[in-house]
Structures are given as structure tokens and as C-alpha cells.
């Protein structure tokens, strides 16, 4: 876990350095485009975390395992944070580029719905006192909400609106300069590492909280002291 | 048992629910009154300009129908859960998902259908032209079952929780957004001469998908609640 945190820190510094000092100023957008180094990785993560969360929720429902449900609830706050950051940085970028903070565009709307889904998941879990019921009810909700993910991902292609299409794909040559791409990928990796570190830290807390009566928790070195 | 899909179970549940609602008519009438009153508030609050009312009418009617559906959602399972009927239903040999379908159908007959039938009348208050009214009624007829189906997931997830009503709103409203967009979009598209077919087809597709998946999710959630 400390390694992931350290990796997240180093990659963020490297990504920001590449993004701010090495990448050239964009011909059309000026320096304002630099927010994509935060915006794009954060948006990717917000969607990807939901998929991972739904995956753990499904595993928890199918195999009735406790740890996977804990993973799902540990991921939700991070995902919500990324969804919020994605909307926020998008708004900051939209003001100088589109001349408005917000448009009712398909991708923005569906990202907003994603944020609401994260909040609904957390609200439902915190409203149920019985842990096992909370886990399972949350899992059902997470699986229902997963229909939104493809809608966000393909919204740019399905509806031709203000939000531009993806500039990075696995199959074609990216439509941006290599140095910009490196900066963005570094930031994406940093977001990954951050997510892993924080989710693991949170799941450790959840385990300790739930198992505080068991013998092995009381035998821990930190607790005996 | 010959009846593998629980068709007779669906029939009996619908029958029972309708009978119960008939005995307590106010349960079914309150959401309708809510619908009428709230839509009437809009012309009073935003002014009676004909053009503007015509423009906001589909949105107002849809949002209010959505809220009326949502407010009556707790009725779907709450009472059966409180008096133990739900547990008996879960124990019976017929599949629980069939019972869920029956309950949702009965619920829609008692709230969604009257809402969709009442909407054209209320649309007259907003000076909507006849073609738009017809399309609005069609989209509501297709859309309200979707609302009922998605709502049943929310209702079953929050069964017996404190603050359930507000929580249902938080869970269900984000999932209602697509229905709302295409429902109002159909009326707008028709008004601007584009034709409503695309939106109506999408709504129907949503109905089919929700009709297939939401009873499964609701059944799973009910079993969790009954554990």
C-alpha cells in the first residue's frame, strides 16, 4: 500500500511536470487545454471505478463473499470524488473554450447521473444498519446502475453535441502530440495508483471496523499496545 | 406444477392488488390529485403566456407524473412487508419474480394508467395542440410502466428502512432521467416537425429492457430484505 501511494505521488509529479513544462502550448486552445491532464484521467477513472465496483458487487452477490462487498463500498467514495472532479475540471475548461460553465450535453448529463449513482449507492449503504443487508442491497443497486457506463462512454459518438470525441484510442494513432499523450498517460497511471492505495486503505479500515470483536484483530500488534 | 412461468400467480396477484386498492380508494386517488394540483400550480407561478406554457407543457407534465409515481412507490411493498404477506408470498411455490410482475402490473393499472389518461386533459390547460397531446399521451402510456418497473427496484431496496421515502428519490430519480429525456423529447420533436418515431421506439426499447431485467433485480432485493 505505501508503494502504491508513493507511485501515485511520483507519477503525479512527473505527469504534472510533463503537462505544464514540457508539453507545448496548443495551437487552437492556448494554455487552457492543459487541464485535460487532469480532466481526462479523472473521467476515465470515474467510469472505470464504477465498473470495478459493479464487478466486486456481482462477485459479492454470487459467491456471497464478504471481502468483495467491502471492496465495492471502499471504492464508491473515490469514484464519486473522481466523477465530481471530472465535472468540475470540465466546467473550468468549458468556461474559456465553450464560453459557458455547463451545457446540457449528453456526456455531461450522463456523467452527472454517474455522480448521483455513486451518491445513491453510498446513501443506501449508510441507511441500512445490518451490514450484510447493506452490502447486498448496495450490490443490486450497483449492478442496476452499470447500464449508464456504456451510455457515457459512447455518448459522444451517439449524439453529436458540444463535447468533442475521444482523442486517444488503442486502435488508431492518437490525434495529439506524443508529449501531451505521455503527460496524460502518466496522470492516468497516477490516478490508478491513487485509487488502489486509497481503496486498500479504506478496505483495511472497514475490515477492522467490522471485525473488531474477533480474536485476530485483538491480537494485532497495534491494538495490544 | 404445470404453470412454469407463474402466469396464474401473476393473474391472482393482480386480482388481489386491484381488490385491495378498490377497498382503499384514497390510496389510488391521492397521487392523481397530486398530479392535478402540481400541474395547475405551474401556470399560476410562471405566468399564463400561451407560447411559454405550450413550450414547458411536456416537461411539466412528465416531471409531475414522475414525482407522482415516485411518491406512491412505498405503497408497492410496504404494507405487505409490514403484515408479513410478503414473506408468505416468497414462501409460496410460484416464482417470486412472477409475483413481482403481478404487483407492478397492478400498481401501474392503479397509478400509471390513470396518470396517462388524465394527462391529455391537463395538457389542455397548457394550450397544447391536439397532435402534441396525442404524442404526449402515447409516450406516457409507454413511459409510466418503465417508471413503475424501475421504481419497484428502488422500493424493494429501501423496504423497511428509516427515511425510506427520501432515499427512494435519491436512488430512482437518476435512473428515471433517460425516460424523461425521451418522453419529453418525443413531444418536442413532433412539434418541430421531426417526427416522434425515434423517441417512441427508444422508449419502447427501454420498456422491454426494464420489463425483462427489473423484476429480477426487484426479486433479488426483496429476498435480501426478507432475510
Amino acid at each position: 500500500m505505501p508503494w502504491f501511494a508513493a507511485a501515485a505521488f511520483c507519477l503525479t509529479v512527473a505527469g504534472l511536470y510533463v503537462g505544464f513544462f514540457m508539453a507545448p502550448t496548443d495551437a487552437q486552445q492556448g494554455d487552457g487545454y492543459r487541464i485535460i491532464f487532469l480532466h481526462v484521467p479523472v473521467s476515465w477513472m470515474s467510469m472505470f471505478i464504477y465498473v470495478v465496483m459493479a464487478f466486486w458487487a456481482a462477485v459479492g452477490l454470487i459467491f456471497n463473499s464478504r471481502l468483495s462487498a467491502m471492496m465495492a463500498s471502499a471504492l464508491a467514495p473515490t469514484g464519486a470524488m473522481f466523477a465530481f472532479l471530472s465535472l468540475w475540471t470540465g466546467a473550468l475548461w468549458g468556461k474559456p473554450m465553450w464560453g459557458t460553465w455547463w451545457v446540457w450535453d449528453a456526456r455531461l448529463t450522463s456523467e452527472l447521473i454517474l455522480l448521483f449513482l455513486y451518491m445513491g449507492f453510498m446513501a443506501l449503504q449508510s441507511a441500512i444498519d445490518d451490514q450484510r443487508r447493506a452490502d447486498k442491497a448496495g450490490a443490486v443497486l450497483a449492478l442496476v446502475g452499470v447500464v449508464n457506463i456504456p451510455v457515457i462512454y459512447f455518448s459522444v459518438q451517439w449524439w453529436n453535441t458540444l463535447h468533442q470525441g475521444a482523442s486517444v484510442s488503442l486502435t488508431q494513432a492518437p490525434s495529439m502530440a506524443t508529449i501531451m499523450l505521455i503527460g496524460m498517460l502518466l496522470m492516468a497511471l497516477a490516478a490508478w495508483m491513487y485509487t488502489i492505495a486509497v481503496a486498500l486503505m479504506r478496505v483495511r479500515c472497514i475490515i477492522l471496523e467490522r471485525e473488531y470483536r474477533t480474536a485476530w484483530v485483538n491480537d494485532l500488534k497495534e491494538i495490544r499496545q | 406444477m404445470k404453470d412454469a412461468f407463474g402466469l396464474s400467480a401473476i393473474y391472482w396477484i393482480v386480482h388481489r392488488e386491484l381488490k385491495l386498492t378498490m377497498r382503499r380508494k384514497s390510496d389510488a386517488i391521492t397521487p392523481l390529485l397530486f398530479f392535478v394540483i402540481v400541474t395547475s400550480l405551474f401556470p399560476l407561478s410562471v405566468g399564463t403566456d400561451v407560447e411559454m406554457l405550450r413550450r414547458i407543457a411536456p416537461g411539466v407534465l412528465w416531471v409531475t407524473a414522475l414525482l407522482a409515481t415516485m411518491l406512491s412507490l412505498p405503497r408497492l411493498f410496504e404494507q405487505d412487508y409490514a403484515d408479513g404477506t410478503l414473506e408468505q408470498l416468497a414462501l409460496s411455490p410460484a416464482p417470486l419474480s412472477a409475483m413481482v410482475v403481478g404487483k407492478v402490473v397492478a400498481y401501474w393499472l392503479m397509478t400509471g394508467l390513470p396518470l396517462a389518461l388524465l394527462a391529455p386533459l391537463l395538457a389542455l390547460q397548457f394550450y397544447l395542440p391536439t397532435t402534441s397531446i396525442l404524442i404526449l399521451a402515447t409516450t406516457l402510456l409507454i413511459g409510466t410502466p418503465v417508471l413503475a418497473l424501475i421504481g419497484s427496484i428502488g422500493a424493494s431496496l429501501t423496504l423497511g428502512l428509516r427515511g425510506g421515502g427520501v432515499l427512494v428519490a435519491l436512488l430512482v430519480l437518476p435512473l428515471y432521467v433517460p425516460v424523461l429525456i425521451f418522453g419529453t423529447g418525443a413531444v418536442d420533436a413532433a412539434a418541430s416537425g421531426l417526427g416522434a418515431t425515434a423517441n417512441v421506439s427508444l422508449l419502447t426499447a427501454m420498456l422491454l429492457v426494464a420489463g425483462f431485467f427489473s423484476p429480477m433485480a426487484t426479486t433479488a432485493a426483496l429476498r435480501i430484505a426478507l432475510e
Side-chain angles (χ1 to χ4, degrees), chain B residues 31-46:
Chain B
L32 292 179
L33 279 179
F34 174 85
F35 186 55
V36 175
I37 292 176
V38 174
T39 43
S40 313
L41 286 181
F42 275 89
L44 300 178
S45 60
V46 298

Side-chain angles (χ1 to χ4, degrees), chain B residues 99-185:
Chain B
M99 318 243 182
V100 169
V101 173
K103 273 183 126 8
V104 173
V105 168
Y107 170 74
W108 176 73
L109 286 176
M110 279 298 153
T111 23
L113 188 60
L115 281 182
L117 296 179
L118 204 58
L121 206 60
L122 293 173
L124 289 176
Q125 282 187 323
F126 288 84
Y127 313 107
L128 267 190
T130 324
T131 45
S132 296
I133 292 185
L134 277 179
I135 291 168
L136 181 74
T138 318
T139 56
L140 276 171
L141 268 180
I142 306 173
T144 42
V146 188
L147 299 185
L149 283 163
I150 299 176
S152 74
I153 304 178
S156 55
L157 279 174
T158 55
L159 203 53
L161 300 182
R162 60 193 141 74
V166 189
L167 198 57
V168 165
L170 197 61
L171 301 186
V172 160
L173 286 182
L175 298 172
Y176 277 175
V177 170
V179 186
L180 181 71
I181 290 175
F182 292 115
T184 51

Side-chain angles (χ1 to χ4, degrees), chain A residues 56-118:
Chain A
W56 282 121
V59 171
L61 266 188
I62 295 166
F63 298 110
N64 208 0
S65 56
R66 279 184 301 172
L67 188 60
S68 46
M70 293 185 206
M71 276 306 286
S73 45
L75 282 167
T78 314
M81 185 200 79
F82 276 133
F84 177 75
L85 272 181
S86 157
L87 289 171
W88 188 256
T89 52
L92 288 179
W93 182 86
K95 186 62 189 166
M97 298 307 158
W98 295 340
T100 168
W101 297 108
W102 182 262
V103 283
W104 287 104
D105 152 286
R107 177 164 273 193
L108 273 66
T109 313
S110 44
E111 182 78 22
L112 187 68
I113 297 177
L114 181 69
L115 179 63
F116 290 152
L117 283 176
Y118 276 122

